Amino acid sequence: MPNEQEPALRSDARRNRARILDAALTELTRDACTPLSAIARRAGVGQATFYRNFPSRECLVLEVYRHEVGQVAALAGQLLRTRAPDAALREWMDRLARHAMAKAGLAEAIRKASAPGSLAAVGRAPVTAAVALLLDANTRAGTIRPGITPDDFLLAIAGLWQLDPHGDWQSRAARLLDLVMDGLRTGAPGP
């Protein structure tokens, strides 16, 4: 997802940028310390092209993060178009958990490359908007109790980021998310 302040890129430049982002996601998820030169090689671009797009590791990592967060956020609307609001919310939560566990290596790269507070500026708004969309649909459908804010919800699921991606995270995430859904339904007016 290009930054709104950037000028439109030529099609070949867009393809190069996309290849770099794909390579970075793969490599940084595998190893947070992957050298930028290895990412450029995997993307099939020269160093000049790489650095023209991403002048620093932080710029690259933040753009990968922005792209990944955008995909997770967009999923909320897609699910609401094809599922009941409560099923959409629960499936979005499951996908968020899988995303978080699959990208554990990326999280380490983000921690190493970014300045404190920079991630909040990049990722909070799209995720909060997705959560608000899901919560609003569920409130209108009467499937969750009224008054739940996106901040309440994000705080309730924060335990996802405490799970070990190399352990039995699936059953632990499912249990946590079931508890969250039960809590959201408590006091719901019903359809």
Side-chain angles (χ1 to χ4, degrees):
M1 164 188 319
N3 188 329
E4 288 96 28
Q5 297 143 342
E6 294 175 0
L9 297 174
R10 295 183 334 244
S11 61
D12 61 330
R14 278 194 311 273
R15 283 191 301 274
N16 285 340
R17 186 176 177 83
R19 284 198 320 264
I20 293 168
L21 288 172
D22 287 344
L25 177 60
T26 300
E27 291 297 321
L28 293 173
T29 298
R30 187 182 56 75
D31 178 2
C33 297
T34 298
L36 297 181
S37 59
I39 294 169
R41 253 189 324 277
R42 182 178 179 100
V45 300
Q47 294 293 316
T49 298
F50 183 91
Y51 284 105
R52 191 170 32 257
N53 281 279
F54 302 103
S56 70
R57 180 177 279 280
E58 182 177 19
C59 290
L60 173 65
V61 169
L62 290 176
E63 188 58 29
V64 169
Y65 178 72
R66 181 189 336 269
H67 177 73
E68 289 294 296
V69 166
Q71 288 185 321
V72 170
L75 181 61
Q78 295 166 11
L79 291 170
L80 282 170
R81 286 189 290 279
T82 59
R83 289 158 181 72
D86 57 338
L89 176 61
R90 185 61 173 87
E91 186 170 338
W92 188 83
M93 291 164 58
D94 286 336
R95 299 241 188 126
L96 179 65
R98 283 195 306 268
H99 174 80
M101 295 302 111
K103 306 301 187 234
L106 181 60
E108 181 63 20
I110 290 167
R111 275 192 293 280
K112 288 182 177 195
S114 61
S118 59
L119 291 181
V122 171
R124 184 140 180 101
V127 170
T128 299
V131 170
L133 181 68
L134 289 161
L135 293 177
D136 183 56
N138 277 276
T139 300
R140 283 185 280 113
T143 54
I144 65 170
R145 68 204 241 177
I148 304 294
T149 68
D151 284 341
D152 296 335
F153 176 83
L154 292 170
L155 201 58
I157 66 165
L160 285 175
W161 286 268
Q162 302 304 313
L163 299 177
D164 178 3
H166 306 293
D168 181 26
W169 68 264
Q170 292 95 339
S171 65
R172 296 190 71 203
R175 181 170 166 74
L176 170 68
L177 298 177
D178 285 345
L179 289 168
V180 170
M181 281 302 294
D182 289 347
L184 293 171
R185 288 182 178 126
T186 300

